[in-house]
Amino acid sequence: MEFPEELELYIHIPFCEKKCNYCDFLSFSGIGEEEQDRYCGALTEEIQRTGAYLYQKKPECDFKIRSIFVGGGTPSILKEGSIEHILTSLKEVFPITAETEITMEANPGTLTGDKLEEYRKAGINRLSIGLQSAENKSLALLGRIHTWEVFLKNYELARKKGFSNINIDLMSSLPGQTLKEYERTLSLVTELSPEHISSYSLILEEGTVFYQSKDIRKMIPDEETDRQMYQMTKDILRENGYHRYEISNYARPGKECIHNLGYWSGVDYLGFGLGASSYFGNTRFSGERDLKKYIEVSWVPFSERKDYTVLTEKDQMEEFMFLGLRKMEGISYSEFFSNFGVPLEKIYGPVIRKYEEMNLLESEGDRLFLTDAGIDVSDYIFCDFML
């Protein structure tokens, strides 16, 4: 197994106060504080034993930790002191510095002044707050536990406690949502001037409450309305000083999410916690998905984890293309050659020419990237880069 020079870390907290009606993430509601504490204990043990495993395999390994992302679930549901304890465990194992981007997801209605002070003390320097919509009727339909007013109080509290890098998550094409309502959400959010905004169209995922409801399906905006919302997002955010750097992500200059850029650029990452995925040393694997088993065992060697796969060169080429093309800057011809020892055109020449002729792909200097029209059908294009 090759050891990378750069590394990102992901921490999964699988607990929520209430499971949202659209959510298919590995998360649970109704888990008591005692069980949450046991989970956090297993999580810190996994972190410590992973460090011991890595340094035993390669004593001289010296990772540069680019970023840490604490996601969920709802990490901010944990009792005070839990997040600080988890991050302390990470710092005991990995070389984390003041420059490391450390993001934590938080849901409105779960934040307090004391918790926010704890997060700052623990080193969290970026918050990602899940708003989804400024319309209370949409929030209720989604199954969110907050209102616009609660979100606003939590956002203002985070600013007061010193957070100067905040992302707000939004969703479009919600059941019954009109263009006017979505425009109002974008306007209210840009007035707050967060450093980063993520906006995704709702997808009905199998196994969710929404997926199983025929009534909800009838309420989903049609394809043309969805396209108009997509265009509205680009226009309003651009007018308010946000540049799009990835298909669904917009940022003030210099405030792009380092962690997510790492995913799309093929940076290695280790996932800790229930079901967390990892990409490390040209292998992919994931953790135990059964909560009880995870708490009991907490750690096994990488090669014994679920879905352990060594990526072939073909796999790596495919991922280089369909992940890299999610970024507005696209991919680099020279980087492809450096990685694989073969020109990009030799592998993908016919596919590239096909979509350039359709004005869906464009080359400029060393870069290949999707056009605006290409972004609209990006999933279709990505399929053509599968070898």
Side-chain angles (χ1 to χ4, degrees), residues 129-188:
I129 305 177
L131 168 61
Q132 315 315 347
S133 173
E135 301 293 328
N136 287 339
K137 67 173 185 179
S138 289
L139 293 173
L141 189 61
L142 291 171
R144 304 293 286 173
I145 64 170
H146 67 272
T147 61
W148 162 255
E149 291 76 19
V150 169
F151 160 79
L152 198 55
K153 288 180 181 178
N154 279 195
Y155 180 85
E156 291 171 348
L157 183 60
R159 287 299 198 199
K160 183 180 179 180
K161 294 300 181 179
F163 283 93
S164 59
N165 193 1
I166 298 179
N167 168 63
I168 296 178
D169 275 340
L170 301 177
M171 296 178 73
S172 60
S173 291
L174 303 178
Q177 187 179 47
T178 66
L179 285 167
K180 187 176 181 180
E181 288 171 343
Y182 183 58
E183 183 178 16
R184 178 174 179 270
T185 288
L186 288 172
S187 297
L188 288 172

Short mmCIF file of all heavy atoms in Angstrom, two decimals, residues 129-188:
data_model
loop_
_atom_site.label_atom_id
_atom_site.label_comp_id
_atom_site.label_asym_id
_atom_site.label_seq_id
_atom_site.Cartn_x
_atom_site.Cartn_y
_atom_site.Cartn_z
N ILE A 129 -23.89 24.96 7.96
CA ILE A 129 -25.20 24.94 8.59
C ILE A 129 -26.27 24.55 7.57
O ILE A 129 -26.37 25.15 6.50
CB ILE A 129 -25.54 26.31 9.21
CG1 ILE A 129 -24.44 26.75 10.18
CG2 ILE A 129 -26.89 26.26 9.91
CD1 ILE A 129 -24.66 28.12 10.79
N GLY A 130 -27.06 23.54 7.90
CA GLY A 130 -28.08 23.03 6.99
C GLY A 130 -29.38 23.81 7.12
O GLY A 130 -30.20 23.50 7.98
N LEU A 131 -29.57 24.79 6.26
CA LEU A 131 -30.83 25.55 6.24
C LEU A 131 -31.85 24.86 5.36
O LEU A 131 -32.98 24.60 5.77
CB LEU A 131 -30.57 26.98 5.75
CG LEU A 131 -31.83 27.80 5.41
CD1 LEU A 131 -32.72 27.95 6.64
CD2 LEU A 131 -31.45 29.16 4.83
N GLN A 132 -31.49 24.61 4.10
CA GLN A 132 -32.31 23.99 3.05
C GLN A 132 -33.32 24.95 2.43
O GLN A 132 -33.42 25.05 1.23
CB GLN A 132 -33.01 22.71 3.54
CG GLN A 132 -32.16 21.73 4.33
CD GLN A 132 -30.79 21.46 3.76
OE1 GLN A 132 -30.48 21.79 2.63
NE2 GLN A 132 -29.92 20.86 4.56
N SER A 133 -34.10 25.67 3.24
CA SER A 133 -35.09 26.60 2.70
C SER A 133 -35.41 27.67 3.74
O SER A 133 -35.34 27.41 4.95
CB SER A 133 -36.37 25.87 2.31
OG SER A 133 -37.39 26.79 1.93
N ALA A 134 -35.77 28.86 3.25
CA ALA A 134 -36.22 29.92 4.16
C ALA A 134 -37.73 29.89 4.35
O ALA A 134 -38.27 30.71 5.08
CB ALA A 134 -35.79 31.29 3.62
N GLU A 135 -38.41 28.95 3.68
CA GLU A 135 -39.86 28.83 3.80
C GLU A 135 -40.21 27.81 4.87
O GLU A 135 -39.85 26.62 4.76
CB GLU A 135 -40.46 28.40 2.45
CG GLU A 135 -40.18 29.36 1.30
CD GLU A 135 -40.89 30.69 1.49
OE1 GLU A 135 -41.99 30.70 2.07
OE2 GLU A 135 -40.34 31.71 1.03
N ASN A 136 -40.91 28.24 5.90
CA ASN A 136 -41.22 27.34 7.01
C ASN A 136 -42.09 26.16 6.59
O ASN A 136 -41.96 25.06 7.13
CB ASN A 136 -41.89 28.11 8.14
CG ASN A 136 -40.90 28.99 8.89
OD1 ASN A 136 -39.69 28.76 8.84
ND2 ASN A 136 -41.40 30.01 9.56
N LYS A 137 -42.97 26.38 5.61
CA LYS A 137 -43.81 25.26 5.17
C LYS A 137 -42.97 24.18 4.49
O LYS A 137 -43.24 22.98 4.64
CB LYS A 137 -44.92 25.76 4.23
CG LYS A 137 -44.43 26.29 2.88
CD LYS A 137 -45.60 26.60 1.95
CE LYS A 137 -45.11 27.01 0.57
NZ LYS A 137 -46.23 27.28 -0.36
N SER A 138 -41.95 24.60 3.75
CA SER A 138 -41.05 23.63 3.12
C SER A 138 -40.22 22.90 4.16
O SER A 138 -40.02 21.68 4.07
CB SER A 138 -40.12 24.32 2.12
OG SER A 138 -40.83 24.76 0.98
N LEU A 139 -39.75 23.62 5.17
CA LEU A 139 -38.97 23.00 6.23
C LEU A 139 -39.78 21.94 6.97
O LEU A 139 -39.29 20.86 7.28
CB LEU A 139 -38.47 24.06 7.21
CG LEU A 139 -37.45 25.05 6.64
CD1 LEU A 139 -37.16 26.15 7.65
CD2 LEU A 139 -36.16 24.35 6.24
N ALA A 140 -41.05 22.25 7.23
CA ALA A 140 -41.92 21.29 7.91
C ALA A 140 -42.13 20.06 7.05
O ALA A 140 -42.11 18.92 7.55
CB ALA A 140 -43.25 21.96 8.26
N LEU A 141 -42.33 20.27 5.75
CA LEU A 141 -42.55 19.14 4.84
C LEU A 141 -41.31 18.27 4.74
O LEU A 141 -41.39 17.03 4.67
CB LEU A 141 -42.95 19.67 3.46
CG LEU A 141 -43.43 18.64 2.43
CD1 LEU A 141 -44.68 17.91 2.94
CD2 LEU A 141 -43.72 19.32 1.10
N LEU A 142 -40.13 18.90 4.76
CA LEU A 142 -38.87 18.15 4.70
C LEU A 142 -38.62 17.35 5.97
O LEU A 142 -37.81 16.42 5.97
CB LEU A 142 -37.70 19.11 4.48
CG LEU A 142 -37.61 19.80 3.12
CD1 LEU A 142 -36.53 20.88 3.15
CD2 LEU A 142 -37.33 18.80 2.01
N GLY A 143 -39.29 17.73 7.06
CA GLY A 143 -39.07 17.06 8.34
C GLY A 143 -37.95 17.69 9.14
O GLY A 143 -37.43 17.08 10.08
N ARG A 144 -37.57 18.94 8.80
CA ARG A 144 -36.54 19.64 9.55
C ARG A 144 -37.08 20.04 10.93
O ARG A 144 -38.28 20.24 11.10
CB ARG A 144 -36.09 20.90 8.80
CG ARG A 144 -35.60 20.64 7.39
CD ARG A 144 -34.33 19.84 7.36
NE ARG A 144 -33.18 20.65 7.78
CZ ARG A 144 -31.97 20.16 7.97
NH1 ARG A 144 -31.75 18.86 7.83
NH2 ARG A 144 -30.97 20.96 8.33
N ILE A 145 -36.19 20.17 11.91
CA ILE A 145 -36.63 20.48 13.27
C ILE A 145 -36.66 21.99 13.52
O ILE A 145 -37.05 22.43 14.60
CB ILE A 145 -35.72 19.82 14.32
CG1 ILE A 145 -34.29 20.38 14.24
CG2 ILE A 145 -35.73 18.30 14.16
CD1 ILE A 145 -33.40 19.97 15.39
N HIS A 146 -36.24 22.79 12.53
CA HIS A 146 -36.11 24.23 12.75
C HIS A 146 -37.02 25.03 11.83
O HIS A 146 -37.57 24.50 10.87
CB HIS A 146 -34.66 24.66 12.52
CG HIS A 146 -34.22 24.53 11.09
ND1 HIS A 146 -33.70 23.35 10.58
CD2 HIS A 146 -34.24 25.40 10.06
CE1 HIS A 146 -33.41 23.52 9.31
NE2 HIS A 146 -33.73 24.75 8.96
N THR A 147 -37.14 26.30 12.14
CA THR A 147 -37.79 27.28 11.27
C THR A 147 -36.73 28.25 10.75
O THR A 147 -35.57 28.21 11.20
CB THR A 147 -38.85 28.08 12.04
OG1 THR A 147 -38.18 28.78 13.12
CG2 THR A 147 -39.94 27.16 12.61
N TRP A 148 -37.13 29.12 9.83
CA TRP A 148 -36.22 30.16 9.36
C TRP A 148 -35.74 31.03 10.51
O TRP A 148 -34.57 31.37 10.62
CB TRP A 148 -36.89 31.01 8.30
CG TRP A 148 -36.22 32.33 8.06
CD1 TRP A 148 -36.65 33.56 8.47
CD2 TRP A 148 -34.97 32.55 7.37
NE1 TRP A 148 -35.75 34.54 8.10
CE2 TRP A 148 -34.72 33.96 7.41
CE3 TRP A 148 -34.06 31.72 6.74
CZ2 TRP A 148 -33.59 34.53 6.83
CZ3 TRP A 148 -32.92 32.30 6.16
CH2 TRP A 148 -32.70 33.67 6.21
N GLU A 149 -36.65 31.34 11.43
CA GLU A 149 -36.32 32.19 12.55
C GLU A 149 -35.29 31.54 13.48
O GLU A 149 -34.37 32.21 13.97
CB GLU A 149 -37.59 32.54 13.34
CG GLU A 149 -38.57 33.45 12.60
CD GLU A 149 -39.37 32.74 11.50
OE1 GLU A 149 -39.44 31.48 11.54
OE2 GLU A 149 -39.91 33.43 10.62
N VAL A 150 -35.44 30.23 13.71
CA VAL A 150 -34.45 29.51 14.53
C VAL A 150 -33.09 29.49 13.84
O VAL A 150 -32.05 29.71 14.47
CB VAL A 150 -34.94 28.07 14.82
CG1 VAL A 150 -33.82 27.23 15.43
CG2 VAL A 150 -36.15 28.10 15.75
N PHE A 151 -33.10 29.23 12.54
CA PHE A 151 -31.84 29.26 11.78
C PHE A 151 -31.16 30.61 11.93
O PHE A 151 -29.95 30.70 12.18
CB PHE A 151 -32.08 28.98 10.30
CG PHE A 151 -30.96 29.44 9.42
CD1 PHE A 151 -29.80 28.71 9.29
CD2 PHE A 151 -31.04 30.68 8.77
CE1 PHE A 151 -28.74 29.16 8.52
CE2 PHE A 151 -29.98 31.15 7.99
CZ PHE A 151 -28.83 30.39 7.87
N LEU A 152 -31.93 31.68 11.78
CA LEU A 152 -31.37 33.03 11.82
C LEU A 152 -30.71 33.30 13.17
O LEU A 152 -29.61 33.85 13.24
CB LEU A 152 -32.47 34.05 11.55
CG LEU A 152 -32.04 35.47 11.13
CD1 LEU A 152 -31.13 35.42 9.92
CD2 LEU A 152 -33.26 36.33 10.87
N LYS A 153 -31.34 32.88 14.25
CA LYS A 153 -30.78 33.07 15.58
C LYS A 153 -29.48 32.28 15.73
O LYS A 153 -28.49 32.78 16.30
CB LYS A 153 -31.79 32.65 16.65
CG LYS A 153 -32.97 33.60 16.81
CD LYS A 153 -33.93 33.10 17.88
CE LYS A 153 -35.12 34.04 18.04
NZ LYS A 153 -36.09 33.55 19.05
N ASN A 154 -29.47 31.04 15.22
CA ASN A 154 -28.26 30.21 15.31
C ASN A 154 -27.13 30.79 14.47
O ASN A 154 -25.96 30.79 14.89
CB ASN A 154 -28.56 28.78 14.88
CG ASN A 154 -29.22 27.95 15.96
OD1 ASN A 154 -29.28 26.73 15.87
ND2 ASN A 154 -29.75 28.59 16.99
N TYR A 155 -27.46 31.28 13.28
CA TYR A 155 -26.44 31.87 12.40
C TYR A 155 -25.83 33.11 13.06
O TYR A 155 -24.60 33.27 13.09
CB TYR A 155 -27.07 32.25 11.06
CG TYR A 155 -26.11 32.88 10.08
CD1 TYR A 155 -25.30 32.09 9.26
CD2 TYR A 155 -25.99 34.27 9.99
CE1 TYR A 155 -24.41 32.68 8.37
CE2 TYR A 155 -25.11 34.86 9.11
CZ TYR A 155 -24.32 34.06 8.31
OH TYR A 155 -23.43 34.64 7.43
N GLU A 156 -26.67 33.97 13.58
CA GLU A 156 -26.18 35.19 14.23
C GLU A 156 -25.35 34.87 15.47
O GLU A 156 -24.36 35.53 15.77
CB GLU A 156 -27.36 36.10 14.58
CG GLU A 156 -28.03 36.69 13.34
CD GLU A 156 -29.34 37.41 13.65
OE1 GLU A 156 -29.84 37.26 14.80
OE2 GLU A 156 -29.85 38.13 12.76
N LEU A 157 -25.74 33.80 16.19
CA LEU A 157 -24.99 33.38 17.37
C LEU A 157 -23.60 32.88 16.96
O LEU A 157 -22.60 33.17 17.63
CB LEU A 157 -25.75 32.28 18.12
CG LEU A 157 -25.14 31.77 19.43
CD1 LEU A 157 -24.99 32.90 20.43
CD2 LEU A 157 -25.99 30.64 20.01
N ALA A 158 -23.54 32.13 15.85
CA ALA A 158 -22.25 31.64 15.37
C ALA A 158 -21.33 32.80 15.00
O ALA A 158 -20.12 32.77 15.29
CB ALA A 158 -22.45 30.71 14.17
N ARG A 159 -21.87 33.82 14.38
CA ARG A 159 -21.08 35.01 14.05
C ARG A 159 -20.58 35.68 15.33
O ARG A 159 -19.41 36.08 15.45
CB ARG A 159 -21.91 35.99 13.23
CG ARG A 159 -22.18 35.57 11.79
CD ARG A 159 -20.92 35.41 11.00
NE ARG A 159 -21.15 35.43 9.55
CZ ARG A 159 -20.30 34.97 8.66
NH1 ARG A 159 -19.17 34.40 9.07
NH2 ARG A 159 -20.56 35.03 7.38
N LYS A 160 -21.47 35.81 16.30
CA LYS A 160 -21.13 36.45 17.56
C LYS A 160 -20.01 35.70 18.28
O LYS A 160 -19.16 36.32 18.95
CB LYS A 160 -22.37 36.53 18.46
CG LYS A 160 -22.16 37.24 19.79
CD LYS A 160 -23.44 37.27 20.60
CE LYS A 160 -23.21 37.96 21.94
NZ LYS A 160 -24.46 37.99 22.76
N LYS A 161 -19.99 34.37 18.14
CA LYS A 161 -18.98 33.55 18.80
C LYS A 161 -17.68 33.45 18.00
O LYS A 161 -16.78 32.69 18.36
CB LYS A 161 -19.54 32.16 19.08
CG LYS A 161 -20.69 32.15 20.09
CD LYS A 161 -20.26 32.70 21.45
CE LYS A 161 -21.39 32.67 22.45
NZ LYS A 161 -20.99 33.19 23.79
N GLY A 162 -17.61 34.18 16.88
CA GLY A 162 -16.34 34.30 16.19
C GLY A 162 -16.14 33.48 14.94
O GLY A 162 -15.04 33.45 14.39
N PHE A 163 -17.18 32.81 14.44
CA PHE A 163 -17.02 32.02 13.22
C PHE A 163 -17.07 32.93 12.00
O PHE A 163 -18.09 33.57 11.72
CB PHE A 163 -18.09 30.93 13.13
CG PHE A 163 -17.81 29.75 14.02
CD1 PHE A 163 -18.33 29.70 15.31
CD2 PHE A 163 -16.97 28.73 13.60
CE1 PHE A 163 -18.05 28.63 16.15
CE2 PHE A 163 -16.68 27.66 14.43
CZ PHE A 163 -17.21 27.61 15.71
N SER A 164 -15.97 32.97 11.28
CA SER A 164 -15.85 33.86 10.13
C SER A 164 -15.82 33.12 8.81
O SER A 164 -15.55 33.72 7.76
CB SER A 164 -14.57 34.70 10.27
OG SER A 164 -13.43 33.86 10.35
N ASN A 165 -16.08 31.82 8.85
CA ASN A 165 -16.14 31.02 7.62
C ASN A 165 -17.31 30.05 7.76
O ASN A 165 -17.21 29.01 8.42
CB ASN A 165 -14.83 30.25 7.41
CG ASN A 165 -14.72 29.66 6.02
OD1 ASN A 165 -15.61 29.82 5.19
ND2 ASN A 165 -13.63 28.97 5.75
N ILE A 166 -18.44 30.42 7.16
CA ILE A 166 -19.68 29.65 7.31
C ILE A 166 -20.25 29.30 5.94
O ILE A 166 -20.33 30.14 5.04
CB ILE A 166 -20.73 30.44 8.12
CG1 ILE A 166 -20.23 30.71 9.54
CG2 ILE A 166 -22.06 29.68 8.18
CD1 ILE A 166 -21.20 31.50 10.41
N ASN A 167 -20.63 28.04 5.79
CA ASN A 167 -21.37 27.58 4.62
C ASN A 167 -22.83 27.41 5.00
O ASN A 167 -23.16 27.00 6.12
CB ASN A 167 -20.83 26.24 4.12
CG ASN A 167 -21.76 25.60 3.10
OD1 ASN A 167 -21.97 26.15 2.02
ND2 ASN A 167 -22.35 24.46 3.44
N ILE A 168 -23.72 27.73 4.06
CA ILE A 168 -25.15 27.46 4.23
C ILE A 168 -25.59 26.51 3.13
O ILE A 168 -25.37 26.76 1.95
CB ILE A 168 -25.97 28.76 4.18
CG1 ILE A 168 -25.61 29.68 5.36
CG2 ILE A 168 -27.47 28.45 4.21
CD1 ILE A 168 -26.33 31.01 5.36
N ASP A 169 -26.20 25.40 3.54
CA ASP A 169 -26.73 24.40 2.60
C ASP A 169 -28.15 24.76 2.21
O ASP A 169 -28.99 25.03 3.07
CB ASP A 169 -26.74 23.01 3.23
CG ASP A 169 -25.40 22.30 3.09
OD1 ASP A 169 -24.61 22.68 2.21
OD2 ASP A 169 -25.14 21.36 3.87
N LEU A 170 -28.42 24.72 0.90
CA LEU A 170 -29.77 24.96 0.37
C LEU A 170 -30.19 23.82 -0.53
O LEU A 170 -29.35 23.08 -1.07
CB LEU A 170 -29.80 26.26 -0.44
CG LEU A 170 -29.39 27.55 0.28
CD1 LEU A 170 -29.41 28.71 -0.70
CD2 LEU A 170 -30.30 27.81 1.46
N MET A 171 -31.51 23.67 -0.70
CA MET A 171 -32.05 22.68 -1.64
C MET A 171 -33.09 23.36 -2.52
O MET A 171 -33.81 24.26 -2.08
CB MET A 171 -32.69 21.51 -0.88
CG MET A 171 -31.73 20.71 -0.03
SD MET A 171 -32.54 19.38 0.88
CE MET A 171 -32.88 18.24 -0.45
N SER A 172 -33.14 22.92 -3.76
CA SER A 172 -34.15 23.41 -4.70
C SER A 172 -35.00 22.24 -5.20
O SER A 172 -34.71 21.08 -4.91
CB SER A 172 -33.48 24.13 -5.88
OG SER A 172 -32.61 23.24 -6.57
N SER A 173 -36.03 22.57 -5.96
CA SER A 173 -36.98 21.57 -6.48
C SER A 173 -37.62 20.77 -5.35
O SER A 173 -37.81 19.55 -5.45
CB SER A 173 -36.31 20.64 -7.49
OG SER A 173 -36.00 21.33 -8.68
N LEU A 174 -37.96 21.47 -4.28
CA LEU A 174 -38.65 20.84 -3.16
C LEU A 174 -40.13 20.65 -3.50
O LEU A 174 -40.68 21.36 -4.35
CB LEU A 174 -38.51 21.71 -1.91
CG LEU A 174 -37.09 22.03 -1.46
CD1 LEU A 174 -37.11 22.94 -0.23
CD2 LEU A 174 -36.32 20.75 -1.18
N PRO A 175 -40.80 19.71 -2.86
CA PRO A 175 -42.22 19.49 -3.14
C PRO A 175 -43.03 20.78 -2.95
O PRO A 175 -42.98 21.41 -1.88
CB PRO A 175 -42.62 18.43 -2.10
CG PRO A 175 -41.35 17.71 -1.80
CD PRO A 175 -40.28 18.75 -1.87
N GLY A 176 -43.75 21.17 -4.00
CA GLY A 176 -44.60 22.35 -3.93
C GLY A 176 -43.86 23.67 -4.00
O GLY A 176 -44.48 24.74 -3.95
N GLN A 177 -42.55 23.66 -4.13
CA GLN A 177 -41.77 24.90 -4.15
C GLN A 177 -41.96 25.65 -5.46
O GLN A 177 -41.91 25.07 -6.54
CB GLN A 177 -40.29 24.58 -3.95
CG GLN A 177 -39.39 25.79 -3.79
CD GLN A 177 -37.94 25.38 -3.59
OE1 GLN A 177 -37.41 24.54 -4.31
NE2 GLN A 177 -37.28 25.98 -2.60
N THR A 178 -42.19 26.97 -5.36
CA THR A 178 -42.34 27.81 -6.55
C THR A 178 -41.04 28.55 -6.82
O THR A 178 -40.16 28.67 -5.94
CB THR A 178 -43.46 28.84 -6.36
OG1 THR A 178 -43.08 29.75 -5.32
CG2 THR A 178 -44.78 28.16 -5.99
N LEU A 179 -40.92 29.08 -8.03
CA LEU A 179 -39.75 29.87 -8.38
C LEU A 179 -39.61 31.08 -7.46
O LEU A 179 -38.51 31.43 -7.03
CB LEU A 179 -39.84 30.33 -9.84
CG LEU A 179 -39.56 29.27 -10.90
CD1 LEU A 179 -39.99 29.78 -12.28
CD2 LEU A 179 -38.08 28.91 -10.92
N LYS A 180 -40.73 31.70 -7.16
CA LYS A 180 -40.72 32.88 -6.30
C LYS A 180 -40.22 32.54 -4.90
O LYS A 180 -39.44 33.29 -4.30
CB LYS A 180 -42.11 33.50 -6.23
CG LYS A 180 -42.18 34.82 -5.49
CD LYS A 180 -43.57 35.43 -5.55
CE LYS A 180 -43.61 36.77 -4.82
NZ LYS A 180 -44.97 37.38 -4.87
N GLU A 181 -40.64 31.39 -4.37
CA GLU A 181 -40.20 30.98 -3.04
C GLU A 181 -38.71 30.69 -3.02
O GLU A 181 -38.00 31.07 -2.07
CB GLU A 181 -40.99 29.75 -2.58
CG GLU A 181 -42.43 30.05 -2.23
CD GLU A 181 -43.24 28.79 -1.99
OE1 GLU A 181 -42.80 27.69 -2.41
OE2 GLU A 181 -44.34 28.90 -1.40
N TYR A 182 -38.22 30.02 -4.06
CA TYR A 182 -36.78 29.72 -4.10
C TYR A 182 -35.97 30.99 -4.27
O TYR A 182 -34.91 31.15 -3.64
CB TYR A 182 -36.48 28.74 -5.23
CG TYR A 182 -35.02 28.33 -5.28
CD1 TYR A 182 -34.42 27.73 -4.17
CD2 TYR A 182 -34.24 28.56 -6.41
CE1 TYR A 182 -33.08 27.37 -4.20
CE2 TYR A 182 -32.91 28.20 -6.45
CZ TYR A 182 -32.33 27.61 -5.34
OH TYR A 182 -31.00 27.25 -5.36
N GLU A 183 -36.47 31.90 -5.07
CA GLU A 183 -35.78 33.19 -5.23
C GLU A 183 -35.72 33.94 -3.90
O GLU A 183 -34.70 34.55 -3.57
CB GLU A 183 -36.52 34.04 -6.27
CG GLU A 183 -35.84 35.37 -6.54
CD GLU A 183 -36.56 36.19 -7.61
OE1 GLU A 183 -37.72 35.88 -7.91
OE2 GLU A 183 -35.94 37.13 -8.15
N ARG A 184 -36.79 33.87 -3.12
CA ARG A 184 -36.81 34.53 -1.80
C ARG A 184 -35.75 33.90 -0.88
O ARG A 184 -35.05 34.62 -0.16
CB ARG A 184 -38.20 34.42 -1.18
CG ARG A 184 -38.30 35.04 0.21
CD ARG A 184 -39.74 35.01 0.72
NE ARG A 184 -39.84 35.59 2.06
CZ ARG A 184 -39.73 34.91 3.19
NH1 ARG A 184 -39.52 33.59 3.16
NH2 ARG A 184 -39.83 35.51 4.36
N THR A 185 -35.64 32.58 -0.90
CA THR A 185 -34.62 31.91 -0.09
C THR A 185 -33.22 32.39 -0.48
O THR A 185 -32.41 32.74 0.39
CB THR A 185 -34.72 30.39 -0.25
OG1 THR A 185 -35.89 29.92 0.42
CG2 THR A 185 -33.51 29.69 0.35
N LEU A 186 -32.93 32.43 -1.79
CA LEU A 186 -31.61 32.88 -2.24
C LEU A 186 -31.35 34.32 -1.81
O LEU A 186 -30.25 34.67 -1.38
CB LEU A 186 -31.51 32.76 -3.76
CG LEU A 186 -31.41 31.33 -4.32
CD1 LEU A 186 -31.52 31.36 -5.85
CD2 LEU A 186 -30.11 30.67 -3.91
N SER A 187 -32.36 35.16 -1.92
CA SER A 187 -32.20 36.57 -1.56
C SER A 187 -31.94 36.74 -0.07
O SER A 187 -31.05 37.50 0.34
CB SER A 187 -33.45 37.37 -1.96
OG SER A 187 -33.64 37.35 -3.37
N LEU A 188 -32.70 36.04 0.76
CA LEU A 188 -32.51 36.14 2.21
C LEU A 188 -31.14 35.63 2.62
O LEU A 188 -30.49 36.20 3.50
CB LEU A 188 -33.61 35.36 2.93
CG LEU A 188 -35.01 35.99 2.91
CD1 LEU A 188 -36.05 35.02 3.48
CD2 LEU A 188 -35.03 37.30 3.71
#
